[in-house]
């Protein structure tokens, strides 16, 4: 991780903590705020992938999959922003899918790191916590305030994990 990436991740972590605290103090409009945050985050992610495709990935093998991912994420973001008026079930569905997806990917990265005899425990723990958050979203689907609290817990946890990665030295794999 470069110094600029470390600074950006540190700033993003602080922003996530501030957003989580604000959501905890304003739980009445929490689902609408969560829907707006998720929609905007998907728009930013989709635009980043689209720009990456246009600048580099179209010349790479498998670059077309980056374009498909960008278009799908932008479609999801438009849908998320369109249903802000009544976001209950769709936001819970987004949170469940996002946490399951990131959890499975983190566990897969941890298993891969273990194969290379690298540090793997933090990645597996991160994946297990994300899967637990997805299960909690499904269990408490009926309560808006608990879903907002689960979202805040996820924000706090992901901010802490980002901070840990910011201060962790970058590992380099040497091939002998």
């Amino acid at each position: 991780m470069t110094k600029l990436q470390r600074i950006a991740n540190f700033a993003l972590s602080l922003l996530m903590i501030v957003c989580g605290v604000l959501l905890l103090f304003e739980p009445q409009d929490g689902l609408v705020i969560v829907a707006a945050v998720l929609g905007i985050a998907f728009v930013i992610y989709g635009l980043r992938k689209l720009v990456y495709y246009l600048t580099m990935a179209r010349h790479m093998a498998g670059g077309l999959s980056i374009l498909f991912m960008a278009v799908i994420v932008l479609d999801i973001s438009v849908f998320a922003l369109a249903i802000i008026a009544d976001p209950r079930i769709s936001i819970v569905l987004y949170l469940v899918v996002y946490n399951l997806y990131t959890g499975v990917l983190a566990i897969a990265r941890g298993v891969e790191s273990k194969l290379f005899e690298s540090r793997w425990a933090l990645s597996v723990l991160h994946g297990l916590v994300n899967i637990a958050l997805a299960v909690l979203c499904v269990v408490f689907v009926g309560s808006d305030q608990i879903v907002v609290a689960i979202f805040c817990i996820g924000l706090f946890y992901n901010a802490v994990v980002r901070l840990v990665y910011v201060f962790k030295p970058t590992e380099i794999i040497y091939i002998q």
Side-chain angles (χ1 to χ4, degrees), residues 61-82:
L64 196 58
S65 65
I66 303 288
L67 176 65
F68 292 151
M69 170 98 63
V71 170
I72 290 170
V73 168
L74 285 172
D75 286 343
I76 290 171
S77 67
V78 168
F79 180 70
L81 291 172

Side-chain angles (χ1 to χ4, degrees), residues 49-61 63 66:
K49 287 291 184 186
L50 188 61
V51 168
Y52 177 66
Y53 171 76
L54 292 173
T55 57
M56 284 184 69
R58 65 182 170 164
H59 304 294
M60 297 173 12
I66 303 288

